[in-house]
Each structure stands twice: as structure tokens, then as C-alpha cells.
Amino acid sequence: TAQVLDPRYQAAADEALKTLVSARETLGAPSLSAAVSHKGQLVWTGTVGWADIAARRPADAQTRYRIGSTSKPVTMTLVARQVDAGKLELDQPIGPWIQPSPNPAWTALTVRQLASHTAGLPDYESNRDWVGLYQSIRLQTNFPTVRASLSVFDGNRLLYKPGTQYRYSSYDTVLLSAVLEGVTGKPYLTQLEDDLIPQTGATGLSADYADRTVENRAVFYERSAAKGVRPWRAVDLSHRWAGGGLIATPSDLVRIGQAWLDPTFIRPETRTQFWTHQTLADGNANPDNYALGWRTTVARRTFGPDTRITSVNHAGVSKGAWSWLV
């Protein structure tokens, strides 16, 4: 199915839908879904395939998928709003917002270090909190609060002096969501529901709850040459809501992107800070050219005038799903 919301793009929309059909066949994916906006307006959605193969339920524009690490720029939208409001500073130590601190080494970390993955926290594979490592592999433990989920990685020493190296880690963003709770006095998921979704119109955005029915959620699959496509095992992602545990439709992600381009929602000066590559303490760029909760890349056009194209983006992989917001 497809919806063209601006008839000027009908020809491009027809080609885009053909691309989805072809890509789904090439990948062997149960479904693919996409959305495009231009100058603040949603102009096209397209979806092919099945949301539930066994039930023969087609996917459509309302089908919600796990977005994995694309949860990070969603969370960073809340962070940027607090920076805009003057309630949070990028180079402010987070200690006052996480008292009592589950790990004494965390109190001197800054928002910038967490948002740029230069804080020294471990990633999933380097986690040496052995109980937490087991929980993050098994994915069956439910954490009722963000504060409780910090126990998954709070038994670690920092991997390096904060600011001196780069190591991508969803735990950085999980800890940032605890900071947001300290700043606002509201649970992270409540902030999404009260302060982000109504203002952006991203009504399909939510946590990927394991303990309740979630309307319009796709069935998630894994694929192998030997066994074909089969449903992914049930998992609980409550230990990583902010960094990799949300679900959304492509239209929801588009609306989050639109919000960043709206100067009345996020000030241009703040947006520039979050979309600028971050440097290490020695002045060198981090090896991933990571910004703050986003990746920013600059390339030259292949065709047409010799102009630079700046792309701000983040991708995400989760159990049975993949996403990309550009």
C-alpha cells in the first residue's frame, strides 16, 4: 500500500514503491515500510509485505516496528528540549541528577560525554557486570523503572578516562534517560507520552512492551537459509528503552526529524550543537565522527551542481527489525 499526500510527487512515489517491492524480494524480508517528508510535511508513505505472516495480516502505514538504536535520537530530542529550556547543560556533571549514584564514577560524567559515547561506559559485549551481562543476553528480565535498569551495567569500572576515547554504547543513552528523569521529575516513558508525542504527532511511538498487547505491532522474524523465516523469540527490552527499546512507524520517525528542523521546537543554535561532530580531549575527531545522539555526514552530489549534501541520520538494529532515520 502507498499514500501520496502531495500529488506533485506521484511519479517519485510510484518509483519508490517499486523500490520497496524489489528490496523486499532481494532481502527476503517479511515487510518493508518507509515514509518521506518535505519542508515539514509528510508527503508519502509506502509499505509492502506482511505484519504477521501466519495470520496473513498485511503491513500498512500504521504497522509499528522495533527501531533499535534509532531510539537514541528520539531520546536526544528530549535532551535537546531540556537544553533549550535552560534546565540542562551539555558540559554539566550529571551527579546532581542521579542521586544516590549507583556508581560513584558516574557523578563526574557530563551530558556531552554520554551523548557522544565518550564517557567510558561499556557496551553490551564489554559489560563486566556479570549478572547484567546475563540479563542483557537472555532478554527475559523486566525492569519496572529506568533506575532499576541501571543495575545491568552499574558494576563496571570506566573503560577509559572520560572524554579521551570513543566507544559506542546504548548504556550511555540509558544513563542519560535517568538524568532526564532527575531533571524533570517524570519517568522517561511519561516524558515521551506527555512531552514529545503530542507535540510531534508521533502517535505510534512507544516502548516495545513485553508484558502487554501493543496495537499494530508487527510480528518480528529471523531468517536463515536452512529454516527460512520464523518468529523471533519473545524478548524484554526494558533495560534499554532510551537506547534501543522503542517501537514506531516510519511516519513517527519522520515527524521526529521534522521537529528537529522546526526552529520553534528546537532552537537552531541547539540543533547545531547536537549535529556537530564531537572531538576528544586531545582535539582529534572521534573515529566515528559521531555528533550528539546523531551521525552527521557530508558528501558531494554525484550529479548536478558541485554542492555539499549534509546528512543527519541514525540507524538501529533490534530483534527482528532494522530502521534508519535520515
Side-chain angles (χ1 to χ4, degrees):
T1 62
Q3 185 177 18
V4 183
L5 303 171
D6 188 326
R8 293 177 297 172
Y9 303 110
Q10 185 64 58
D14 292 341
E15 289 301 312
L17 190 60
K18 290 178 184 177
T19 299
L20 281 184
V21 171
S22 175
R24 176 177 175 252
E25 292 174 353
T26 300
L27 295 170
S31 67
L32 287 177
S33 187
V36 175
S37 71
H38 184 243
K39 293 186 176 180
Q41 298 297 320
L42 185 69
V43 297
W44 175 78
T45 65
T47 307
V48 295
W50 301 100
D52 185 335
I53 296 173
R56 307 301 285 176
R57 174 165 61 94
D60 58 28
Q62 283 71 52
T63 302
R64 302 156 82 183
Y65 299 88
R66 289 175 179 150
I67 64 172
S69 286
T70 309
S71 303
K72 292 179 176 67
V74 174
T75 301
M76 221 52 59
T77 308
L78 293 171
V79 175
R81 294 274 287 174
Q82 293 304 317
V83 171
D84 257 2
K87 297 181 179 180
L88 203 55
E89 296 179 6
L90 291 176
D91 296 309
Q92 173 183 14
I94 65 171
W97 307 117
I98 57 168
Q99 292 300 325
S101 177
N103 185 318
W106 292 356
T107 59
L109 300 178
T110 67
V111 174
R112 187 187 301 277
Q113 289 166 349
L114 292 172
S116 63
H117 302 294
T118 59
L121 294 184
D123 53 25
Y124 297 135
E125 290 77 16
S126 61
N127 187 9
R128 291 300 175 262
D129 184 318
W130 299 112
V131 173
L133 177 63
Y134 172 76
Q135 291 170 331
S136 65
I137 293 173
R138 189 166 178 267
L139 297 176
Q140 298 299 311
T141 305
N142 182 263
F143 294 91
T145 65
V146 168
R147 183 80 185 190
S149 74
L150 300 182
S151 66
V152 170
F153 58 98
D154 65 1
N156 289 271
R157 288 186 288 184
L158 297 181
L159 300 178
Y160 51 81
K161 183 179 179 181
T164 63
Q165 297 183 43
Y166 169 89
R167 189 176 189 119
Y168 181 87
S169 172
S170 288
Y171 293 143
D172 288 314
T173 313
V174 173
L175 184 51
L176 258 182
S177 67
V179 173
L180 281 170
E181 292 190 342
V183 171
T184 65
K186 298 168 66 173
Y188 168 75
L189 295 180
T190 301
Q191 293 177 59
L192 287 182
E193 295 165 0
D194 292 354
D195 304 332
L196 185 61
I197 293 171
Q199 297 193 44
T200 61
T203 55
L205 175 67
S206 83
D208 182 25
Y209 294 104
D211 56 353
R212 69 185 74 174
T213 299
V214 179
E215 186 178 7
N216 294 325
R217 179 168 54 187
V219 175
F220 302 108
Y221 297 92
E222 58 182 334
R223 184 168 60 87
S224 69
K227 299 182 179 180
V229 175
R230 61 179 180 178
W232 201 281
R233 67 182 176 91
V235 297
D236 189 309
L237 302 179
S238 57
H239 68 290
R240 63 175 82 172
W241 292 143
L246 303 181
I247 61 170
T249 69
S251 297
D252 295 321
L253 296 183
V254 159
R255 291 185 172 99
I256 296 296
Q258 288 174 177
W260 278 82
L261 295 169
D262 180 355
T264 67
F265 188 80
I266 293 176
R267 291 187 304 127
E269 308 86 67
T270 302
R271 182 180 67 213
T272 297
Q273 291 185 78
F274 278 76
W275 286 0
T276 297
H277 294 159
Q278 298 298 296
T279 57
L280 302 175
D282 60 7
N284 291 319
N286 69 71
D288 202 19
N289 282 329
Y290 202 87
L292 299 177
W294 292 90
R295 289 184 170 90
T296 304
T297 59
V298 180
R300 293 195 174 276
R301 290 173 60 121
T302 304
F303 304 103
D306 185 20
T307 55
R308 295 195 306 170
I309 301 296
T310 300
S311 166
V312 182
N313 64 90
H314 211 294
V317 178
S318 193
K319 307 305 179 184
W322 180 89
S323 68
W324 196 26
L325 169 60
V326 186

